Amino acid sequence: MARRTPPKPRRPNRRFSKSVLLDSSAKRRFQRRLLRWYQEHGRDLPWRKTSDPYHILVSEVMLQQTQVDRVIPKYHEFLERYPSFEDLAEAPVADVKKTWYPLGYNIRPERLHGIACETVERYGGKLPNDAEELLSFKGIGRYTAGAIRSFAFNEDAPILDTNVIRVLHRVFVANGDPKTQKATLWELSEALIPRGKGYDFNQAIMDFGAMVCTARDPYCLLCPMKSFCRTYPFDPKTSGS
């Protein structure tokens, strides 16, 4: 599949949390097997062929609560209509919402427009890569900030979406409700990133959750993690994830 060549990796802004108890052998096996799986099975998606922070932001906002196959054509249409932060900021919100249709959740185009306006006003149309500055934008939460830092700036920034939560909880935690364990899962997400490989690792774990470790009927027999996964074989009757 097509792969872009990411820029030279930056060092992470903070060290991994020491509160995560993670078996070093399982960590290495997970990293190695996940990246190997991704090289063979990773999805060929248009936003993986760019490091433009604006394009990454548009894709991440569109992918919130929307399936990939619905996002792809709208992603191309939206960027053709609004190719930069400046173009989006200058457009009337009503027009932006019309272009967004029929993706739904119309608060998203409004927030995206607001981010564009703020980026132009405060940063000259260049989205910052600093975590705190990204989180200061209304509409950019911890996941989106991590995705921007990882996919646009090639930093080893953790992410935690629905797919990542599912994979990490099943493989490394198993017990309890993952919705109440997000602090631990964020720490796991960060601790597992191989140094300098945050881009591929984060894309890989999202794909793995979407394609193998699915919410219903996961492909456990074909899973490369089954030898150390704490929920293998997965039983939906006894699992909360």
Side-chain angles (χ1 to χ4, degrees):
M1 61 177 287
R3 288 273 192 271
R4 73 172 182 86
T5 301
K8 184 178 180 180
R10 301 169 183 261
R11 295 180 62 85
N13 288 345
R14 63 190 183 96
R15 295 183 179 182
F16 297 148
S17 171
K18 295 181 180 180
S19 64
V20 177
L21 299 177
L22 187 62
D23 178 78
S24 59
S25 176
K27 174 181 176 179
R28 288 193 299 270
R29 281 182 290 173
F30 183 83
Q31 293 170 332
R32 184 171 58 251
R33 295 180 188 185
L34 181 67
L35 290 173
R36 186 185 303 135
W37 175 90
Y38 178 64
Q39 286 298 317
E40 185 174 352
H41 302 288
R43 293 176 290 185
D44 187 10
L45 302 174
W47 42 87
R48 291 181 178 172
K49 300 174 182 178
T50 179
S51 60
D52 187 314
Y54 173 64
H55 293 191
I56 299 299
L57 174 66
V58 170
S59 70
E60 290 298 334
V61 175
M62 286 187 170
L63 287 165
Q64 295 169 7
Q65 303 182 63
T66 306
Q67 295 179 342
V68 169
D69 58 352
R70 293 184 60 213
V71 167
I72 291 175
K74 186 58 65 173
Y75 169 82
H76 290 300
E77 179 188 346
F78 195 89
L79 290 180
E80 184 175 352
R81 181 77 178 271
Y82 311 111
S84 69
F85 278 116
E86 289 84 357
D87 292 302
L88 181 57
E90 291 173 1
V93 176
D95 289 350
V96 175
K97 293 173 71 173
K98 288 179 181 178
T99 306
W100 190 269
Y101 180 85
L103 291 183
Y105 301 98
N106 285 336
I107 190 63
R108 291 183 296 170
E110 293 182 20
R111 287 178 176 171
L112 187 57
H113 183 269
I115 293 169
C117 292
E118 191 172 352
T119 301
V120 171
E121 181 179 348
R122 293 176 57 192
Y123 301 99
K126 304 293 184 182
L127 196 66
N129 69 317
D130 179 77
E132 292 186 4
E133 287 183 294
L134 288 170
L135 290 170
S136 72
F137 286 86
K138 185 175 182 179
I140 295 183
R142 189 174 180 183
Y143 164 78
T144 304
I148 292 169
R149 292 172 58 210
S150 176
F151 305 145
F153 298 106
N154 202 38
E155 296 186 5
D156 291 342
I159 60 171
L160 196 71
D161 69 353
T162 302
N163 285 320
V164 178
I165 288 172
R166 185 188 316 114
V167 172
L168 295 182
H169 188 266
R170 286 178 179 173
V171 175
F172 295 104
V173 182
N175 298 316
D177 183 353
K179 294 179 181 179
T180 66
Q181 300 173 317
K182 288 188 177 180
T184 296
L185 295 173
W186 270 110
E187 292 176 349
L188 274 171
S189 178
E190 182 171 18
L192 283 165
I193 297 174
R195 177 65 63 89
K197 296 184 179 179
Y199 180 96
D200 279 348
F201 182 85
N202 285 339
Q203 297 285 14
I205 196 169
M206 289 193 298
D207 276 7
F208 191 76
M211 300 166 66
V212 177
C213 195
T214 55
R216 298 181 180 180
D217 300 322
Y219 296 92
C220 291
L221 292 177
L222 302 176
C223 179
M225 314 301 175
K226 64 184 179 182
S227 64
F228 57 92
C229 177
R230 294 188 177 183
T231 57
Y232 178 81
F234 177 74
D235 184 355
K237 296 180 182 178
T238 60
S239 175
S241 61

